[in-house]
Every structure is written in C-alpha cells, then in structure tokens.
Amino acid sequence: MNKKHLIKTTGIIGLATAISRVLGFVRDIFIANFFGTGMAAQAFFVAFRIPNSLRDLVGEGAANAAIVPVLTGYKTKGEKKEFLRISKVLFNISFASLSALTLIGIIISPLIVRLIAPGFIREPSTLQLTVQLNRMIFPYLILIGLTAYTMGVLNTERHFAGPAFGPCFLNIALILASVWLCPNIGVMGLVIGVLAGGVLQLALNVVVMYRKGITIDFREGLRHPAVKKIGLLLIPRAFGSAIYQVNIFVDTMLASLSWIVGSGGVAALYYANRLIQFPLAIFGLALAQAALPKMSHEFSTNDMTRLKDTLSFSLRMTFLIMIPASVGLAVLGMPIIKMLFQRGEFTDYSTYITNSALFFYAFGLCAYGGIKLLVTCFYSMHDTITPVKTALISVILNVALNLILMWPMKLGGLALATSISATVNFLMLYSILKKRIGRLGTKEIADSFIRVLLASIIMGIVLKFTLALAASAIDILLSMVAGAFVFIVAAYIFRVKELKRALVWVSKRR
C-alpha cells in the first residue's frame, strides 16, 4: 500500500465516516429536540456510554492492537488455512467473553451507574431510569464487540468499505426510532434503536466475511497457538483502554455533579464531543485505521524507513485537517450548536453550556488525531505497553486538572483539562517513538505544522468577521465555505506541501 493507496483508503473510510457522522448529527438533532439536556437525555447518555466504553476495551481494542498485526503476519507468510482457522477461533472467544461481560453488567448495573454518575444519587428518578436503560442496552456490547472483531478481520484483508459504512445503520436505526417510537414510548425508543442498529452493523460485516470465504464455526472451539500471542498483545492494550475509559468516566462523574458544574453537564459534554468527533473520525481515525495494516506490513518486513515515512506523512496530513478544524470549531461553535440543536427542549442554556465545553475541546483536536496515529504505530510494532504508560500519566494529569479547573470554569474546565492532558500524551508518545526508531522528520513536521497554523489563523480572522455579518443559517454555511476557501488560498501561499499533494491526487482522481 503506497501513499496514494493510503490516501485512497483513507478517503473511502473518511467518506463512509462522513456519511455516518452526518446521519449522527441528524440523530442528535432529533434527540436534542425531544430530550434537550434534561433528565431523559442525561440518563440515556450515561446508560449508553457504559457498554459503548466496554466495546473499546474488549472489541475495537483487540481489533486494533492484537488481531490486525497477528493476522497480517499469517497473511504475509502465506498461511491462508491458518488465517481462516484463527479467524473462527477468535470469533468464538469474542462471543463467549462478550456474553459473560454482558450478563455481569446487567446484574451489577445499579452499582455501575452509582459509580459513574454519583451526582444522580441525589436525583432518585434519574438514577432509577438510568439503571433501567443500562440493563436494556447492555446486550449492545455483544453486537458491537463482534462488529469490531469482524472489522479487524476485514481490515486485515484490506477491505475497509463495509465496516466503515456499518455505523450508518446504527444512526439510521436511531433516527427512525426517534421519529416513530420516541413520541409514543419516550426514551425507551432510543434503546430499541440502539439494539436494532447493533444487529444491522454486525450482519453487514458477517455477510462481507462470508463472501470472502471467512466463515463462523463454533466447532473450532477456543484454542489456537496464535491465541496466546494475541492475548499477550491484548492484555496491556486492554489495560490501556481501561485507563482511557477511566478518563471518560471521571469526566462523566464530575459532569454529573450539577451543584458544581451546573445542570445538564453530562448531556452537554456528549453534544460537544460529538462535534469534536466529526473531523476526528472523518479523517484522523480513518487515516489511522487505513495506516495500521500498512505499518504492520512494513514492520513485519523490517522496512523501517518506509514505516517512519508513513508515520511522518500521516501526521502531516492529520495536522492539515485538524488545525483548521480546531480553529473553525472554536470560532463558529455557538452558531453551529444553535443551527444544529437549538429547538424544542434544547434551550439557550443548553447551547451555552455545550459551547463552553466545545471551545476548550477544540484546543486538543490535533493531539487527539496525533495520538491515534502514534499509538497505531506502536501497535504495528507489537508494542502495546508503551501507550499504556503514557496514557496512565495522562489520566492522572487529567484528573488533577479536572479538580482544579472545574470550580472556576465549570464544564469548560473539564474540556480544557482533557485537551491539555491529550497534548502531553502526544508529546510523550512522539518523544519515545523517536528515541526507539530514530528520526521521524521532526523538522519537516514542525515546518508543516507552523505553515498550516498560520493559514488557519488567517481563516479564523475571516470567519470572525463574516460571523459578525451572519443573520441566518445560510449565512453561517456561506461563512464556512468562505473560511475553507481562504484557508486553501492561504495554505497555497504559505507553500503547504501536503495540501498541494492532496489537490494533485484529487485532480488525478477526477
């Protein structure tokens, strides 16, 4: 997979993710309209976050850190029969472990909810509703965990389109549930939408796997020589993911303390995070997902020069997108939130607290995308321990900053603490990787970063000016278009090489 193929694959994943995110915004618009930042929204977001967070721990974490590199090794050696066998065994192991976790989660839901949202203890009705929703949603862990596993297998086969479009089904199911079910049965309609979407996502990937000759067979059992190797890679990655989830849960815990940060904090953080995830998922996570098989292949063939070149190029392409996106969200946050969400139960207060979080989340956008790439590089080298160490330091820093900043800055303090700790994590990972594999082209990366930053600042000034003249949603959209045009022109003037390379690739594709 060369750079052009990497960009193409990233484009496919990015397009699918963009469609999914647009559908996700439509979904969130309906949810915001029906529930705003009130009790039902708070309960649903906490209840949904619990199994969704465990998914990364036992699902996507396994696919990213262990399954893809190990299966890529079998493919590189031409051991197709063993590749198919280990795929079946891994499915069986995933199904068994996910089912056990789901059962345990349903039983101890009251305890989990009290730990994650202690602020709800003062609100018995909210606490009871959250526990009820959590128990109903927990089987989603089985569905989305198996979906993450099948995604890892298909990505090893260099098939990205099917898994990338899968999340669209979840969003479509939730949109339909919001329109047809929520008006009649309230927030329970969202639970039905979540479970239906999980079934559709898994079914899509399984169909694609069967077409590629990768089948499911419970008779294969739970044993294979590669399982131990995968387990050794997975354990530190699972621990690292647990540390990351602790970070999220701490934010949720503190956001539930309404007497400190204000009411509606959990829901506001959710909506702000959704906006941050839009550029991050469309490009940052898509590029990391596409780069993992490439880096794994380069490491398995001991081609370290290409591995470093791939990482350097990927980081520069990430900054090209994330820096202007960060500036754009910081400047246009308030009007974007009003345009997307402010209607029905989503009030002026909801917009205000959501924007207070979004503004400070935006400062960490580059770090979020960069961390994903650096961690992907460590995974491709079969090192899942180093990211755990840096993540632990980052979480400790985040918790300390949360406790310091939440009092004077409310929700904004929680978001700023996340951005600062993410930036520190990125710098630690980069420094360690540079010492381990040698020069990564730091001068070239820094040069590109500065040029893109200057172009983004000019874009931000233009956005600020045009925003003052905006009087409608159409004006805001036109302001965004003008900002994008100004950034491209400014980046061209500042000779941003990555932009020229991307434009040349697009023109050739056309």
Side-chain angles (χ1 to χ4, degrees), residues 184-309:
N184 299 315
I185 62 176
V187 72
M188 295 300 173
L190 296 180
V191 175
I192 296 174
V194 167
L195 297 176
V199 171
L200 292 173
Q201 286 187 84
L202 178 58
L204 173 65
N205 284 3
V206 170
V207 168
V208 176
M209 281 176 55
Y210 267 78
R211 288 181 177 177
K212 289 184 169 292
I214 305 171
T215 59
I216 297 170
D217 188 351
F218 289 106
R219 294 173 300 178
E220 285 289 348
L222 306 176
R223 295 183 179 182
H224 188 280
V227 170
K228 182 178 180 180
K229 185 176 182 180
I230 291 175
L232 291 174
L233 291 174
L234 176 59
I235 290 173
R237 173 57 180 92
F239 184 71
S241 180
I243 292 174
Y244 174 74
Q245 297 307 326
V246 166
N247 207 19
I248 294 176
F249 288 148
V250 167
D251 287 350
T252 302
M253 290 170 61
L254 298 178
S256 73
L257 304 177
S258 58
W259 59 91
I260 298 177
V261 301
S263 62
V266 173
L269 283 183
Y270 169 81
Y271 292 120
N273 192 259
R274 290 289 297 169
L275 290 169
I276 284 294
Q277 289 294 325
F278 188 77
L280 182 63
I282 287 178
F283 190 83
L285 302 185
L287 180 57
Q289 184 179 342
L292 178 57
K294 185 177 190 298
M295 290 182 180
S296 297
H297 176 75
E298 289 164 349
F299 180 76
S300 64
T301 56
N302 200 31
D303 194 347
M304 300 304 294
T305 299
R306 287 193 177 183
L307 176 64
K308 291 189 286 185
D309 186 51

Side-chain angles (χ1 to χ4, degrees), residues 18-32:
I19 295 173
S20 175
R21 293 292 168 170
V22 170
L23 290 171
F25 278 129
V26 175
R27 174 197 78 189
D28 291 338
I29 287 170
F30 280 108
I31 294 176

Side-chain angles (χ1 to χ4, degrees), residues 66-80:
I67 292 178
V68 172
V70 171
L71 290 184
T72 298
Y74 276 95
K75 283 203 66 182
T76 302
K77 297 175 183 177
E79 300 178 13
K80 182 68 174 179

Side-chain angles (χ1 to χ4, degrees), residues 437-507:
I437 64 177
R439 299 177 60 182
L440 299 174
T442 303
K443 184 177 180 181
E444 187 176 11
I445 294 173
D447 179 75
S448 177
F449 183 93
I450 293 172
R451 293 174 189 271
V452 174
L453 179 61
L454 291 174
S456 299
I457 292 173
I458 294 174
M459 179 199 72
I461 294 172
V462 172
L463 286 176
K464 196 71 175 177
F465 176 77
T466 57
L467 182 61
L469 303 176
S472 65
I474 294 178
D475 292 338
I476 295 173
L477 292 174
L478 291 175
S479 178
M480 293 179 184
V481 173
F485 176 77
V486 168
F487 171 76
I488 292 174
V489 173
Y492 193 84
I493 292 174
F494 286 121
R495 299 179 181 178
V496 177
K497 298 177 182 178
E498 291 70 34
L499 176 66
K500 293 181 179 180
R501 186 175 297 178
L503 292 176
V504 168
W505 180 81
V506 170
S507 64

Side-chain angles (χ1 to χ4, degrees), residues 51 57 92-93 97 105 234 247 254 292 348 384 395 398 418 456:
L57 178 63
N92 297 343
I93 293 174
S97 59
L234 176 59
N247 207 19
L254 298 178
L292 178 57
D348 286 331
T384 55
V395 167
N398 185 54
T418 300
S456 299

